[in-house]
Amino acid sequence: MSDYEYNTSKPEKLLTGYGTVRGAELKSIYTEIEPMTPLSQIENRFGRPSSSGPETDHIDNCLRFLRTIDMVEQTGEDVLNPMNRDIFPGFELSFEPKLLHHVRQQTGKQSHLAAIYEVAVQEISSDTGHYGVRRVSVDDLVIKVDRETDYDLEWREEKILMWTNLFAPLGAISFSPDHDEILLSPSRAMLHELLSHHQRHRANGNSILAALEWIDGDFFPAFSRTGGQPAVHVGVADVLESLVADGALSLTGMSDRSEVVDLPMGIDNSQTPADYTIEAAPDRPSYWYPLERSERRYEA
Amino acid sequence: MTQMVRNWDRDVVEEFIKPESQQKSPEVFRETHVEIDKIRAEILRPHSGDDAFVTESQFRDAVLDSDLKDDNRIFIVKGEVGSGKSHLCQWLEYEINGYDEGEGTDDEHVAIHISRSNTRLDEILEILHAPIDKEYEEVNDISSLDPEDVADFIIQGLHTFYKGQGALRSFDLEEFLEPRSNADGFRTTLVENIEEYQDSVESEGQEQDIKEYLLSREDYGHICLSAFGKTKREDDVYPVVRRAVHDLLTRNIGIEDFKRELEDISEAYVEEGKRPVLICEDLTTFSVLKDDLLDHIFELSSGHYDVIMGWTTGWERENIDDALSTSEDSLTYMKQRTQGYLSMTDDNGQAYFLEGRSAPVVLVKAYLDAIKEHSEASAEVPEGTFDSVYPFNEAFIRHVYANLVQDGNLQQTPRILLVHVIAECLTSDVAPFEAVQNNSYVRQRPYLIGINEHSTPCLELTQWYALKHRGRLWLPTEVFDAFGVDTHGAAEKDGNVFFDTSFAAGDVTVIEREPGAEPTPERSDTDDKDEADEEPEEYESEDVEEETDGEDETEGEDEEEPPGPEPEVEVPPEDYREFQSWLMDGTEYASADRFRDGVVATLERWHDPTRLANENSTARNTTGIYFDRGSEPPVVIRGADSPASMSFEVPHGTENEELYRQMLHYGYADSFEDDANFDKLRGWATDKVVEYRSRMRRDIEGHLPEQMTVEEFVVLAHFLVMNIGKGETELSSELIFEEYRLEETSPLSYQSDVGIELPRGLEGAFDRTSNHTGDIGSLARGFFLLKKNVVDHERLNEAIKSVSENLNSYLSGLSTTSIDDLADAYRIGTTRNNSKKGFGKIVEDFSDLAGELEKVEQQVDVEDLREETDHFRRFHHLSHTQEELAELYDEMENALGPLNVTHRQKWREIGQLLNDSDSDLGLGDFRSTLNKIEDVKADDAISSIALLHEYQRSLNESAAWEVYEVFAEMVEELEKTEGSKVGDFRHQVESSTEFEVFRDARDSAQQTIGGCTNE
């Protein structure tokens, strides 16, 4: 694994300050950026045309955000280059987990965006066990994040909303504004992709503990409890259960193994599985990333 | 097919279980009698103690606590139909008179039992006289009388004896009795009622349908309305009229004065040293004699009876106020004069004495034991395994009892339990759990184990028989063996079969018992006051989880089970059962609405399900295409709803139980269960919604030209109006976001003065589409923007490219497209609720426009335009400068001057213009436009329209056109005049064309014009 490289000249603005930045345009813009891509090319393609040329304000916002999380760098000559393309040699990550990875790599104050997710998964306890909760309201999360983190900033609803609005289309969570409900289950596509990469390309490929530790450390929090036997968050467990039900995953318990995870419920006949085998995912919208769920892709 | 070994005879069942207690022989009665140990006593005298409840013996003792000459003593017993009133009365009769001849409590008391089946008046009189030796006059059988005659007799009697009497003094009886043709005449009503009364007397043995009154208060109201025009509910008149009618009827059949008769009978009893205990099981039996009976007995000193009067709760509620001809509150009046006022059932219609959980079991066991005892059949059956109530078990009886219904209401009475369920089961060919499935007296309860994993017999057996221990369901293996039911892979241990509780089981009661433990102890110890004092235990009807009640039986072992939060709203068990049936076979689902609500909620949780637009756009208020039919997304529960195209179909299937159950729950509780796998719900909704949108797209695009996508239609439509409005010919992303405007250069502008004839329909077609230009623009934003100012480059580019490449085929395809069968429900809007405008109409109008543009292509020839501009070409010379033209003008003006035709304002203006060195004639533009018209290959509508724009624009902008126009006019004017000079001018001007066309001619023309200017 090549080292993660931090952008040496990046904007100072807080990540949660990019309240209007969304997954769809980040993905489109990022995907367009090859080495030595002129800024004007991006602006011309994605800026809404107007009588005075393309609208560039929001494009610039997106690029600043991507620069802040070390996905893109910009030279003095207004040329753009992608960064950290090969940090996982051997396989290419989709944009969605890649962005999560970059958010998770941020240090200092800018780690606050990833911290929201951590608090949601690790710090909200349920009445029925140590596996966290499936759903949380924005209000509750504001309070919880304010209480559980120690950043020198004022947590407001807008910051949490920035996180939900950014992460939901990426398939990290879901958000139902009408119900003020954040669903803390990643998309099946995300979990399936990461479990596949892990199985094929990483040490201890078959270990579900190793896989979830990798995911938890590099992408998004998967454990509601990390001390002792790691407990899989119920939102993640739900998705594992769906994958198993659809034949895309099998879990195996081994009585002689201690490297196991603790599931909130028995899945595939085991509540403390050790190994997993990932199979091809069904070709259904529920297995596509949210941004890929166009009906145009649907084959009747 | 299930099996069942019988250790009883079916015909014996019928001997023991009969609808009426009286139908049983005393031995059978005694054998099956279960002590009625809980009767609510609001009043009971004498009774020691202040307990609210008494036993049958305490009741009996109170009744018998009378001396020969005591005044009338009245005991009222009320209760629901079938709650054991008549059983109690029958028991009382046997207790007083003895089960065999010659027995009896004492020599004095004698029970006179008028049961519900004794509805004939002659019969009642006979029973009253039976124990004594007293002559009495036989009475007529009411059924032998002619209703018309009786009615006439009564009317005559009313006229004769009652008119103007007492309370009727100010009542217009004449008018009231006046024959009327309509149904509400007094006579018609009376005849009908007499017939009904006769019928009810005829059909003996029936309960509850004896005709109460020959004139009900309702009848009285109707008659008054016909007679007086208003429903006189004069309280003091109705009872008097009714009473009079009844008196006249009884007199007609030979009972002159029943009240008097009762007094005489009482005397006779006293004379014979007997104390009559008059047991009137159901007061309604007395019908027309009821008034007299009540009058007599409540006149306490008028006789020496002990009277037990039964009536149903419903009767008391509806009729008690009219029961006595007293103006006081009848019930209060009665209560003040009774020795006892007792209730058999509680407010929910449940018999008090069966309240204890095992009481129904004890009742059934008593009957089963007697039936088996008297049966010839014998078979080895594991009675113990079945809690000694084979072929039932404790759980079965308790659940059935808790779910007894009549006419849709809970009716937990012994009669329904025994007659309609137990007897039915015992005489059925199939096992009880199968027999109760279609029993209309038993409210269904859900299956308790996974319906996807087990056979129907196994589901049904566990549904009624299963017990619960530590969250799992279990039953002895012997039970399955006894009925030949396959347990299909369920875990077996120590002779018991265990099942995982399906999630449904949390909502319904299952009896908690540890394997090997004894059934719930019987409530044999009825003297235990403490137990009688207990609060009535709650029943399944209230859907209370019994788990927490089970402590007595399992000695605290339940502590390990997490208590589980108390759900606030639950799916009613019968609805859940219906849902399970639908899951299994996909038919019949009456309560599907709640489920549908949940399905809609699931679809809408994470999606705008019927919207077709750029699904990744977060731009606000952009337009999409909606399928908008009905008030919510169209969901069809397959099997329950009729199929509809373009709906979200929800197929049945037991494998979906867990998922659908959440949606069902939502329909009742407005929320999903906390432990729902939300990813499953989200995944289901996502698959459904994307599939649905794909169908929307296919449906819509099926009505567009071949290969054309919705996006391409939007691009093409916008392009067409931009071409006509602004003369655009190049498709670009800029153009797509540019606003439409009708410029004055458009050939369809009212200012247009290009002399080219366009297809007649073009203007109208364009007017119609121009109503949609705003919608097309917003659709473009809805499909091609990711955010307010960010373009979905890929999608837009693809559409532009395809439209550019296929422009001609798309135009001709669009012109012939038909949207006739495109659903009207496709509408555009920013939300489903505000989507009003039909998308089909837009396509239709653009289709018409495309058709007209096709005609433009055929009709509009650039050659015409060339012809039109020919004269400009003729007069124009490439080297013309403003100066030269000014001189030419002056010369012509001079020539024309003497002819007096130079007054034209326009000419003068041109002259001034030409002579003004600051003016710009636009000669260059004029020239290039002329050249364009000359050279262009506009063989398609788009280019033609654009060329017309260009020509118009040049006409508007460049004065040169006017200059040459004026020259042409001047030449023409000159031509009209004689003179050689004219020919010269014409030659001078016209030769310029030749110059342009023919090199040779150009030279000489140059000379001529050059000569002209040099002169």
Side-chain angles (χ1 to χ4, degrees), chain B residues 615-892:
Chain B
E615 68 285 346
N616 290 339
S617 173
T618 51
R620 285 184 195 167
N621 299 321
T622 53
T623 298
I625 304 173
Y626 286 86
F627 187 84
D628 178 27
R629 180 176 289 158
S631 56
E632 54 186 30
V635 167
V636 164
I637 310 297
R638 199 189 286 165
D641 299 328
S642 42
S645 63
M646 287 316 298
S647 56
F648 290 91
E649 271 217 357
V650 184
H652 71 280
T654 53
E655 69 277 12
N656 297 321
E657 182 175 14
E658 191 190 337
L659 179 70
Y660 289 172
R661 174 186 152 79
Q662 291 303 331
M663 303 180 197
L664 183 74
H665 185 270
Y666 195 100
Y668 289 87
D670 228 21
S671 67
F672 298 109
E673 287 178 314
D674 275 341
D675 60 353
N677 181 330
F678 271 71
D679 175 63
K680 283 216 169 101
L681 288 164
R682 181 178 65 178
W684 180 87
T686 301
D687 286 340
K688 279 279 168 196
V689 168
V690 177
E691 186 269 345
Y692 184 85
R693 287 179 181 157
S694 136
R695 266 191 292 144
M696 281 177 77
R697 184 177 276 278
R698 276 206 311 280
D699 192 17
I700 293 170
E701 291 179 353
H703 292 81
L704 297 177
E706 207 171 335
Q707 302 295 324
M708 189 193 278
T709 63
V710 175
E711 284 84 352
E712 287 164 11
F713 170 76
V714 171
V715 165
L716 177 64
H718 188 71
F719 179 53
L720 292 183
V721 295
M722 292 299 274
N723 172 249
I724 294 174
K726 292 186 168 181
E728 300 286 353
T729 54
E730 287 301 316
L731 251 174
S732 66
S733 61
E734 286 80 3
L735 181 76
I736 295 304
F737 296 104
E738 197 179 309
E739 222 163 283
Y740 160 82
R741 201 173 58 240
L742 182 67
E743 294 192 340
E744 56 185 23
T745 57
S746 170
L748 294 180
S749 161
Y750 71 98
Q751 288 160 307
S752 168
D753 51 7
V754 173
I756 288 289
E757 203 173 314
L758 292 167
R760 211 172 294 166
L762 179 64
E763 194 168 354
F766 180 71
D767 276 353
R768 288 195 296 279
T769 52
S770 59
N771 289 328
H772 309 314
T773 51
D775 303 309
I776 291 293
S778 53
L779 277 173
R781 294 189 287 280
F783 277 93
F784 300 122
L785 286 182
L786 287 175
K787 207 168 174 60
K788 188 179 166 208
N789 284 329
V790 181
V791 175
D792 188 340
H793 174 71
E794 199 183 332
R795 192 186 288 236
L796 177 58
N797 226 26
E798 209 173 90
I800 288 178
K801 193 160 167 267
S802 176
V803 171
S804 306
E805 285 171 3
N806 303 299
L807 188 57
N808 287 333
S809 67
Y810 274 178
L811 257 186
S812 69
L814 186 59
S815 70
T816 57
T817 204
S818 162
I819 53 96
D820 288 351
D821 56 344
L822 179 67
D824 179 52
Y826 289 109
R827 289 156 197 269
I828 64 166
T830 56
T831 65
R832 190 180 145 80
N833 288 337
N834 73 11
S835 55
K836 296 278 177 283
K837 190 162 186 174
F839 182 71
K841 173 70 179 149
I842 297 178
V843 177
E844 186 179 28
D845 289 342
F846 274 98
S847 168
D848 290 350
L849 179 65
E852 293 301 323
L853 288 172
E854 290 263 280
K855 289 183 201 156
V856 168
E857 192 178 313
Q858 290 153 15
Q859 287 177 21
V860 177
D861 195 345
V862 185
E863 218 39 64
D864 297 342
L865 198 57
R866 287 191 188 122
E867 251 166 57
E868 190 189 281
T869 53
D870 214 26
H871 60 290
F872 295 109
R873 222 166 277 118
R874 285 213 314 271
F875 293 120
H876 177 60
H877 188 280
L878 190 61
S879 67
H880 279 166
T881 61
Q882 184 173 343
E883 229 172 18
E884 287 168 351
L885 290 174
E887 280 176 30
L888 203 54
Y889 175 86
D890 290 344
E891 205 167 321
M892 281 196 283

Side-chain angles (χ1 to χ4, degrees), chain B residues 140-159:
Chain B
N140 285 326
D141 178 5
I142 180 96
S143 21
S144 64
L145 301 176
D146 176 17
E148 307 265 346
D149 291 348
V150 177
D152 288 338
F153 175 83
I154 289 172
I155 291 170
Q156 189 55 48
L158 286 170
H159 280 301

Side-chain angles (χ1 to χ4, degrees), chain B residues 407-479:
Chain B
D407 303 327
N409 298 315
L410 274 186
Q411 190 80 287
Q412 289 153 298
T413 62
R415 184 184 301 144
I416 296 179
L417 176 65
L418 293 168
V419 177
H420 296 296
V421 182
I422 298 301
E424 280 287 323
C425 288
L426 292 175
T427 53
S428 166
D429 286 331
V430 296
F433 54 85
E434 225 178 315
V436 293
Q437 296 296 331
N438 295 316
N439 191 317
S440 61
Y441 291 93
V442 180
R443 188 178 62 177
Q444 285 304 308
R445 64 192 243 123
Y447 296 135
L448 305 175
I449 56 177
I451 57 175
N452 198 22
E453 297 144 39
H454 299 280
S455 66
T456 305
C458 190
L459 292 174
E460 291 177 351
L461 175 60
T462 49
Q463 176 189 15
W464 294 102
Y465 283 69
L467 301 160
K468 186 158 74 172
H469 182 61
R470 296 190 177 177
R472 301 191 81 196
L473 296 179
W474 69 277
L475 267 181
T477 315
E478 276 179 314
V479 174

Side-chain angles (χ1 to χ4, degrees), chain A residues 46 174 181 186 242 286 295, chain B residues 605 677 679 682 687 697 791:
Chain A
F46 297 103
S174 283
E181 175 188 273
S242 300
S286 53
E295 75 286 342
Chain B
R605 192 85 169 180
N677 181 330
D679 175 63
R682 181 178 65 178
D687 286 340
R697 184 177 276 278
V791 175

Side-chain angles (χ1 to χ4, degrees), chain A residues 207-239:
Chain A
S207 161
I208 187 73
L209 176 64
L212 289 177
E213 276 177 343
W214 177 57
I215 292 171
D216 188 74
D218 275 16
F219 300 95
F220 58 87
F223 296 119
S224 54
R225 184 186 69 186
T226 44
Q229 203 171 63
V232 179
H233 183 258
V234 66
V236 175
D238 279 349
V239 182

Side-chain angles (χ1 to χ4, degrees), chain B residues 90-145:
Chain B
Q90 186 63 59
W91 175 81
L92 195 60
E93 185 199 332
Y94 288 137
E95 285 292 303
I96 296 170
N97 293 353
Y99 290 88
D100 290 319
E101 280 302 307
E103 283 184 17
T105 353
D106 53 44
D107 294 337
E108 207 168 83
H109 287 93
V110 48
I112 310 167
H113 184 185
I114 295 166
S115 83
R116 192 183 290 108
S117 54
N118 303 131
T119 51
R120 292 159 58 125
L121 301 182
D122 50 340
E123 216 170 30
I124 291 174
L125 284 177
E126 198 186 317
I127 296 169
L128 284 171
H129 285 93
I132 47 168
D133 188 20
K134 175 180 174 289
E135 294 283 310
Y136 70 101
E137 279 187 35
E138 295 274 325
V139 297
N140 285 326
D141 178 5
I142 180 96
S143 21
S144 64
L145 301 176

Side-chain angles (χ1 to χ4, degrees), chain B residues 829-1007:
Chain B
T830 56
T831 65
R832 190 180 145 80
N833 288 337
N834 73 11
S835 55
K836 296 278 177 283
K837 190 162 186 174
F839 182 71
K841 173 70 179 149
I842 297 178
V843 177
E844 186 179 28
D845 289 342
F846 274 98
S847 168
D848 290 350
L849 179 65
E852 293 301 323
L853 288 172
E854 290 263 280
K855 289 183 201 156
V856 168
E857 192 178 313
Q858 290 153 15
Q859 287 177 21
V860 177
D861 195 345
V862 185
E863 218 39 64
D864 297 342
L865 198 57
R866 287 191 188 122
E867 251 166 57
E868 190 189 281
T869 53
D870 214 26
H871 60 290
F872 295 109
R873 222 166 277 118
R874 285 213 314 271
F875 293 120
H876 177 60
H877 188 280
L878 190 61
S879 67
H880 279 166
T881 61
Q882 184 173 343
E883 229 172 18
E884 287 168 351
L885 290 174
E887 280 176 30
L888 203 54
Y889 175 86
D890 290 344
E891 205 167 321
M892 281 196 283
E893 196 190 27
N894 287 338
L896 281 167
L899 298 170
N900 247 348
V901 288
T902 58
H903 313 302
R904 294 188 188 170
Q905 177 68 22
K906 191 173 160 198
W907 295 4
R908 272 204 298 276
E909 282 171 15
I910 291 298
Q912 282 162 10
L913 185 78
L914 287 170
N915 287 305
D916 178 357
S917 58
D918 287 341
S919 62
D920 179 8
L921 298 184
L923 272 169
D925 175 59
F926 169 78
R927 218 171 273 140
S928 74
T929 305
L930 261 188
N931 287 345
K932 208 175 272 173
I933 293 170
E934 181 72 18
D935 299 340
V936 86
K937 275 180 66 186
D939 47 4
D940 64 283
I942 300 291
S943 323
S944 300
I945 299 277
L947 186 64
L948 292 175
H949 264 280
E950 180 64 15
Y951 176 38
Q952 180 73 56
R953 183 198 53 74
S954 187
L955 284 180
N956 296 352
E957 287 175 5
S958 303
W961 297 92
E962 265 182 291
V963 171
Y964 285 99
E965 194 70 57
V966 164
F967 278 20
E969 283 172 24
M970 291 171 96
V971 167
E972 199 176 328
E973 200 59 45
L974 284 166
E975 271 179 337
K976 285 186 194 157
T977 62
E978 294 295 325
S980 59
K981 260 201 153 178
V982 178
D984 289 346
F985 279 111
R986 185 181 183 83
H987 178 73
Q988 277 179 23
V989 180
E990 280 193 349
S991 62
S992 61
T993 313
E994 291 165 34
F995 170 83
E996 272 189 301
V997 183
F998 306 105
R999 180 175 278 272
D1000 296 346
R1002 186 184 60 185
D1003 290 343
S1004 66
Q1006 232 170 356
Q1007 271 177 355

